[in-house]
Amino acid sequence: MAGILGVVGLLGLAACGENIGQQAILGGGTGAVAGAVVGGDPITGAAVGAAGNVAFCQLYPERCR
């Protein structure tokens, strides 16, 4: 179950945003929720989610709409 929720959380990271600030907020929010749902630390989840979403959106802007 935790693995499925983790995948859903990662898919949510592709929500991007129009600028780096929005990308960080959307990724951080998704990461915090995913961390809490799988029993992890929401703060760590937020940090990983924000960094991951910004990195993904900056590397693949064509996939982030």
Side-chain angles (χ1 to χ4, degrees), residues 47-64:
V48 171
N53 198 44
V54 168
F56 180 83
C57 291
Q58 295 301 305
L59 287 172
Y60 305 105
E62 69 280 357
R63 296 182 188 177
C64 245

Side-chain angles (χ1 to χ4, degrees), residues 3-30:
I4 292 171
L5 293 173
V7 169
V8 170
L10 289 174
L11 291 174
L13 292 177
C16 275
E18 294 183 13
N19 57 49
I20 291 176
Q22 290 177 354
Q23 294 164 1
I25 289 170
L26 290 169
T30 302

Side-chain angles (χ1 to χ4, degrees), residues 27-44:
T30 302
V33 170
V37 168
V38 298
D41 180 24
I43 303 297
T44 302

